[in-house]
Amino acid sequence: MNAIVALCHFCELHGPRTLFCTEVLHSPLPQGASSGDLSGQNEQAEEEEGGIQMSSRIRSHSPAEGASADSSSPGPKKSDMCEASGCRSLAGGHPGFVSHDKETSIKYVSHQHPNHPQLFSIVRQACVRSLSCEVCPGREGPIFFGDEQHGFVFSHTFFIKDSLARGFQRWYSIITIMMDRIYLINSWPFLLGKIRGIIDELQGKALKVFEAEQFGCPQRAQRMNTAFTPFLHQRNGNAARSLTSLTNDENLWACLHTSFAWLLKACGSRLTEKLLEGAPTEDTLVQMEKLADLKEESEGWDGSEEEEKPSSQPDVVEGQELSKSSPETSLMPDCNSWNVAHRRLSVFRSLRHMRQVLGASAFRMLAWHVLMGNQVIWKARDMDLVQSAFDVLRTMLPIGCVRIIPYSDQYEEAYRCNFLGLSPHVQIPPHILSSEFAVLVEVRAATRSSLYPTLFDDEQSLNKYEFVVTSGSPVAADRVGPTILNKIEAALTNQNLSVDVVDQCLVCLKEEWMNKVKVLFKFTKVDSRPKEDTQKLLSILGAAEEDNVKLLKFWMTGLSKTYKSHLMSTVRSPTSSESRN
């Protein structure tokens, strides 16, 4: 991640100061820095944190940053530094730290200030803002600020206990600076958790030192008994102590270097870019929206809801959860191994397999109701069989049009689901059975089934069932039906096409008709064209038939929110409307 992580401190003498920063270097070290400019090369330590291995060595400041460390350096002058190193992290002659990432050949360099003048100015401004005007209520916590010119900053301010400080605490901040605003905002949860962990560790070490000092010599009572002296005199006589003194950790800066380097590495690895060939499909957009909604819901659950969740039965359950074996069956693998193997074969594998099992006329009726958006009800004892049927039938629809309740003990209305699995004893309302907007598939025990079917014959494994497909509006055999249904049946009956090729045909057919849906949505919902123009458009699209119109209207509900909001926000310009008239 192209960013800089820095630790800042508010000095009572000089104001905000940068103590320690870690930056990323993509270019290799110059050849001249391989011998004389590097010190301690023989002392390498393999550091591993979060699965990342880096070799760390001490080096001088100037060669890696491409700037000299002479008097022209942008760092603060010696007169501005606290006498007791309160504004200094590394000693004057300390060369700094470097970690080499062997996988990516990236170097993570840590020192007190960036030696590049532009980077120094950016870090300096972010430091001042993080400890002055850009703070959250209570002066302790995370905040985001920045602009395109000076970069964007994630800042977390915090206090460190100090028995000698005014108010017994000193003010610090850890800031992350980068130019990519979107990336930094998306990394907020990750950065907040990891930086909060670093802060907790620093505060814990400082608290132990503070309590030990207060136990030995309580400063509060001593200050109460001391005669009043001017504040300026007290401040000048009591310079800020270094963070290593406050935490009693001589290896503090090496540990911070390791933590900051790992933070930059891990934050850059957690978000990756994916190359999409062409525009994403509607199914991809809807899937991304559903995943985002599920993530928001899961983050909104509190601890009490998570404890109650396993004991409660959800309204809509996933079919995969229902197919898991119970603890009782797992205790007898020898007795139930044949049943488990046979049960796995008693499922539908593809649309072609379902058409062969149900028959051509029954499958056409079922597929017609699926494409039209009518409610498809399956009644069976075998939950795996019902789930496999829904998994196969849903491939004919866009993802946004699919609402499944895999198995329920009561009837659910059509507005809740268009695929409903029921146990055999559930009573279905009479008006649903006679409705033209529903189809029922009853799975019964076949009288001619064999008790010991061949395990390797998938069709014969379903011979023990009898499938009865009924509807209040049966599809006539001579009815033309929607165009996509005829093309699907043509692909299924073509034995020269494998199952994988048929699946790709379904993807292409769905995308073709979703493009027609987009045109119709733009034409009717956004532009509000009259019915005569809409009829002409349907004729041009080759979808003027009644079944095709119904299909397009139903599939319109499967459009992604992203596409709908994009179109609805588009306003036609007056020139375009005049040119059309």
Side-chain angles (χ1 to χ4, degrees):
M1 183 176 70
N2 293 325
I4 297 178
V5 182
L7 173 67
C8 307
H9 166 237
F10 187 88
C11 178
E12 295 181 357
L13 290 175
H14 311 112
R17 284 290 184 266
T18 305
L19 284 181
F20 193 77
C21 68
T22 302
E23 57 182 312
V24 179
L25 291 182
H26 294 272
S27 58
L29 288 173
Q31 294 182 357
S34 59
S35 57
D37 293 331
L38 293 179
S39 62
Q41 291 187 2
N42 296 328
E43 298 180 1
Q44 297 185 3
E46 293 294 332
E47 302 174 358
E48 182 175 355
E49 184 171 351
I52 301 174
Q53 293 183 353
M54 295 176 288
S55 65
S56 183
R57 67 180 67 177
I58 299 178
R59 51 169 291 283
S60 61
H61 292 297
S62 54
E65 283 76 38
S68 61
D70 56 9
S71 60
S72 63
S73 175
K77 296 181 179 180
K78 223 173 190 181
S79 59
D80 293 338
M81 305 296 283
C82 288
E83 297 178 1
S85 303
C87 293
R88 182 185 296 116
S89 56
L90 304 178
H94 197 290
F97 301 96
V98 172
S99 289
H100 301 264
D101 188 348
K102 298 178 181 178
E103 297 178 355
T104 58
S105 299
I106 294 177
K107 299 176 179 63
Y108 300 91
V109 183
S110 294
H111 35 66
Q112 182 158 351
H113 306 281
N115 285 324
H116 194 282
Q118 185 178 3
L119 292 180
F120 175 85
S121 176
I122 292 175
V123 174
R124 172 64 178 165
Q125 186 183 49
C127 170
V128 172
R129 294 180 66 180
S130 69
L131 292 172
S132 58
C133 56
E134 303 288 354
V135 294
C136 62
R139 301 179 65 193
E140 191 171 19
I143 196 170
F144 178 88
F145 60 88
D147 52 56
E148 296 288 346
Q149 182 179 359
H150 301 95
F152 299 93
V153 182
F154 171 88
S155 172
H156 197 303
T157 54
F158 61 98
F159 291 104
I160 291 291
K161 285 291 186 179
D162 183 4
S163 60
L164 301 180
R166 181 165 60 95
F168 300 103
Q169 60 186 8
R170 298 196 182 274
W171 202 18
Y172 291 85
S173 70
I174 295 179
I175 58 177
T176 303
I177 313 167
M178 67 184 311
M179 302 304 295
D180 193 337
R181 177 176 61 90
I182 301 300
Y183 197 101
L184 188 58
I185 291 176
N186 289 334
S187 303
W188 175 288
F190 175 82
L191 291 174
L192 179 60
K194 302 306 177 184
I195 292 179
R196 185 67 250 180
I198 297 174
I199 293 173
D200 290 341
E201 186 175 357
L202 291 176
Q203 289 178 333
K205 292 179 179 179
L207 182 60
K208 292 180 180 179
V209 176
F210 175 79
E211 292 176 348
E213 292 178 349
Q214 288 293 89
F215 180 78
C217 181
Q219 292 293 318
R220 188 179 300 273
Q222 183 178 354
R223 294 182 186 183
M224 294 293 292
N225 296 329
T226 303
F228 175 77
T229 54
F231 172 72
L232 290 177
H233 175 73
Q234 278 192 351
R235 190 176 64 172
N236 291 330
N238 186 19
R241 295 193 294 174
S242 65
L243 191 58
T244 54
S245 175
L246 294 178
T247 58
N248 193 24
D249 186 359
E250 296 297 331
N251 298 321
L252 176 66
W253 305 118
C255 295
L256 280 180
H257 164 74
T258 304
S259 299
F260 287 174
W262 179 87
L263 186 68
L264 291 170
K265 169 69 176 179
C267 191
S269 303
R270 58 181 294 272
L271 296 179
T272 57
E273 296 180 347
K274 293 184 179 180
L275 177 62
L276 298 177
E277 298 181 359
T281 62
E282 280 300 302
D283 284 356
T284 303
L285 292 176
V286 173
Q287 219 163 9
M288 293 171 61
E289 291 173 354
K290 289 186 175 182
L291 289 175
D293 294 340
L294 288 175
K295 186 177 181 180
E296 291 180 1
E297 291 177 3
S298 62
E299 291 177 353
W301 289 338
D302 54 15
S304 60
E305 290 177 347
E306 291 180 356
E307 292 177 359
E308 295 175 359
K309 187 182 175 183
S311 60
S312 60
Q313 180 68 25
D315 293 335
V316 181
V317 295
E318 296 293 338
Q320 289 81 354
E321 296 178 359
L322 294 174
S323 61
K324 293 180 181 178
S325 60
S326 61
E328 289 79 3
T329 57
S330 63
L331 293 176
M332 298 180 294
D334 296 333
C335 301
N336 296 326
S337 58
W338 184 90
N339 293 331
V340 173
H342 178 62
R343 184 178 59 189
R344 290 176 181 173
L345 291 174
S346 301
V347 295
F348 294 104
R349 297 177 287 104
S350 62
L351 284 174
R352 177 177 290 171
H353 181 214
M354 179 178 287
R355 188 174 184 273
Q356 294 171 351
V357 173
L358 299 182
S361 59
F363 175 81
R364 181 177 177 82
M365 179 191 300
L366 181 61
W368 183 88
H369 282 280
V370 171
L371 294 172
M372 293 296 105
N374 299 333
Q375 190 176 38
V376 178
I377 306 172
W378 280 66
K379 294 182 68 174
R381 296 183 181 275
D382 192 343
M383 293 181 291
D384 292 335
L385 176 65
V386 176
Q387 180 64 44
S388 68
F390 291 160
D391 290 340
V392 168
L393 292 173
R394 68 184 299 174
T395 59
M396 294 190 293
L397 293 177
I399 293 179
C401 296
V402 177
R403 303 182 309 278
I404 298 180
I405 297 182
Y407 209 75
S408 177
D409 291 332
Q410 62 181 5
Y411 172 76
E412 300 290 348
E413 295 293 339
Y415 73 89
R416 293 202 60 205
C417 60
N418 55 340
F419 291 98
L420 175 62
L422 298 176
S423 57
H425 62 82
V426 176
Q427 296 295 327
I428 301 177
H431 69 278
I432 299 297
L433 296 175
S434 59
S435 173
E436 61 178 341
F437 302 108
V439 60
L440 173 63
V441 181
E442 293 184 272
V443 183
R444 305 170 182 173
T447 56
R448 56 185 177 81
S449 64
S450 174
L451 292 178
Y452 302 98
T454 305
L455 286 176
F456 301 99
D457 190 350
D458 293 337
E459 295 183 15
Q460 191 174 358
S461 65
L462 291 176
N463 283 346
K464 62 178 181 178
Y465 297 123
E466 181 181 358
F467 300 90
V468 181
V469 183
T470 58
S471 174
S473 175
V475 181
D478 56 348
R479 186 168 180 173
V480 178
T483 305
I484 189 174
L485 175 58
N486 299 326
K487 291 184 178 181
I488 290 176
E489 284 196 314
L492 295 177
T493 54
N494 189 348
Q495 297 299 326
N496 294 325
L497 302 180
S498 64
V499 175
D500 295 334
V501 174
V502 172
D503 292 340
Q504 294 302 316
C505 288
L506 283 174
V507 174
C508 296
L509 287 174
K510 286 192 296 183
E511 196 62 23
E512 174 190 352
W513 281 82
M514 282 304 291
N515 290 333
K516 297 180 181 181
V517 169
K518 292 178 181 179
V519 175
L520 183 62
F521 179 83
K522 175 72 166 59
F523 202 80
T524 57
K525 303 297 183 181
V526 180
D527 296 343
S528 301
R529 301 295 186 90
K531 292 184 178 180
E532 295 78 10
D533 293 347
T534 304
Q535 194 63 33
K536 293 179 183 179
L537 175 66
L538 291 173
S539 300
I540 296 174
L541 296 177
E545 294 79 8
E546 180 184 359
D547 286 348
N548 286 329
V549 175
K550 290 181 179 179
L551 183 142
L552 291 176
K553 290 182 178 179
F554 168 58
W555 283 30
M556 199 178 294
T557 62
L559 286 174
S560 62
K561 298 177 184 177
T562 305
Y563 182 80
K564 287 182 179 180
S565 61
H566 173 71
L567 286 186
M568 296 304 290
S569 62
T570 304
V571 181
R572 290 181 300 158
S573 61
T575 56
S576 63
S577 60
E578 291 175 2
S579 62
R580 188 179 68 253
N581 295 332

